[in-house]
Amino acid sequence: MAKYLPVKPPAKQSWRLISATNILSPAFGGDDLELRRKGSKYEFTFDYGEVDYLESLDWSDLDVEGETVVAVVWQPGLDTGEPGSPRVSGGGQIGSVLKLKGVSPGYQVRKGQFLSVHDGGVRHFMYRASAAVVAAPDGTMNVPLYTLLRHPHAGDSVVDIREPKVEGYPRDVSDREVYDNHNVKLSFKIRERG
């Protein structure tokens, strides 16, 4: 079962796409061909700078082995408003469009905005909108994505637009060095499982 990390904005956050595309280069010249494949995922780096030693204890789940951790992805300055209760509209979707229902009519997802699917209440999958899109009057929305869907999500799975979450194994966790002012440096990465 995944461990949920404290909800606190980091001093610095970065991300990168770990692409599963396959690039074919012709042996005798010509154009390269990039083939999209299922499996592209995100890796986030969270840097909290120095935190008080007692506060650092709340982050002890970063030492978990064999289990994943879940962290909120921050989108500073982005007012996510009231998206309603977005859910996956129909299970078994494939491709690069995520079909939603239960979205507030007229709600807009911005280009580049992150969202996550809590698939069947078991695992979080992170995606990013490749274009702005507005919810229809009936609360449906087709969100184009930069990547292919990595999993045929279960119908009615919760879609988190307000506080998207990344789930994966903790990596590159900073050493817990305690300074003379009782502070501890805290930084880590979370890479999605795939």
Side-chain angles (χ1 to χ4, degrees):
M1 185 168 156
K3 307 281 188 184
Y4 285 77
L5 297 176
V7 177
K8 178 184 176 185
K12 185 169 58 173
Q13 170 186 277
S14 61
W15 66 86
R16 70 186 182 114
L17 176 66
I18 300 169
S19 179
T21 59
N22 188 9
I23 299 175
L24 302 177
S25 295
F28 302 105
D31 295 336
D32 285 349
L33 177 62
E34 185 171 288
L35 303 175
R36 295 177 78 187
R37 297 188 313 169
K38 189 171 77 165
S40 293
K41 57 191 172 189
Y42 289 95
E43 178 179 79
F44 285 82
T45 301
F46 299 91
D47 187 343
Y48 286 87
E50 291 184 21
V51 298
D52 179 75
Y53 176 75
L54 293 177
E55 182 184 348
S56 76
L57 298 178
D58 295 336
W59 297 87
S60 295
D61 285 336
L62 288 169
D63 294 331
V64 70
E65 293 182 336
E67 293 184 42
T68 58
V69 294
V70 177
V72 170
V73 170
W74 298 93
Q75 302 181 92
L78 177 64
D79 181 4
T80 55
E82 185 49 56
S85 302
R87 298 179 314 281
V88 172
S89 179
Q93 296 180 33
I94 59 172
S96 61
V97 174
L98 181 60
K99 296 175 182 165
L100 307 180
K101 64 182 179 182
V103 183
S104 296
Y107 183 81
Q108 180 177 354
V109 168
R110 294 178 60 132
K111 178 179 180 177
Q113 184 173 341
F114 285 104
L115 53 126
S116 60
V117 177
H118 195 187
D119 188 59
V122 176
R123 182 173 160 192
H124 297 271
F125 290 82
M126 177 66 66
Y127 297 107
R128 195 166 183 215
S130 65
V133 62
V134 177
D138 65 354
T140 60
M141 176 185 271
N142 295 335
V143 182
L145 306 172
Y146 280 112
T147 60
L148 294 175
L149 291 166
R150 295 195 322 270
H151 182 73
H153 301 297
D156 287 326
S157 291
V158 172
V159 178
D160 208 335
I161 294 175
R162 294 194 80 172
E163 287 187 336
K165 296 169 183 66
V166 60
E167 178 179 346
Y169 295 107
R171 297 172 181 251
D172 301 334
V173 179
S174 57
D175 293 338
R176 306 294 167 65
E177 184 176 6
V178 181
Y179 300 109
D180 59 356
N181 63 358
H182 300 213
N183 284 350
V184 176
K185 178 164 175 34
L186 178 64
S187 65
F188 56 93
K189 292 180 180 178
I190 298 177
R191 178 185 290 184
E192 291 187 285
R193 290 192 288 184

